[in-house]
Structure formats: structure tokens, C-alpha cells
Amino acid sequence: IDRALFEPIGPFLVEDVRRYIFNASRQFEPRINVIKIDVRDGSDQNSIAVDITFAIINTSTISSVTIYLKRAR
């Protein structure tokens, strides 16, 4: 994902970030099922907002978290 933060924000980058996060969650957090990942352009603040909705396996709990990815200088 760190490479993606230096690319121009567009539809291809948004899909790449969504795919990176989905694959990482499946590989590194097997206790959840990802329901939805929304990636939003925050180019006015040089950032990308990622909303992740997920369910914890073997429970009825559905949670959501928003993460802001921003270039560090």
C-alpha cells in the first residue's frame, strides 16, 4: 500500500488499495469476514479514506472502521 500512496489518485488506484486491504485482511486476520471495503479519494488532503465493514466469525457482531492513509513526509 505504501507504493500506492505516491500514485495519482484515480479509479485504478482505488481498486488496487481495496484489493490490497481485502487480501491482507484475509491473510492476517482470519477471525473476520470482510463485508465491504469503500475507498474514497481524499486528494484535497493528500489522503485516501478506507471504510471497512466486517463481521466477527461465530458472532453476530458487525463492525465498521475508517482508516485514513496519508503520505508521511
Side-chain angles (χ1 to χ4, degrees), residues 42-65:
S43 59
D44 56 328
Q45 297 178 351
N46 291 326
S47 65
I48 297 171
V50 181
D51 299 316
I52 305 169
T53 304
F54 59 93
I56 299 172
I57 293 177
N58 296 327
T59 70
S60 59
T61 304
I62 295 178
S63 298
S64 183
V65 65

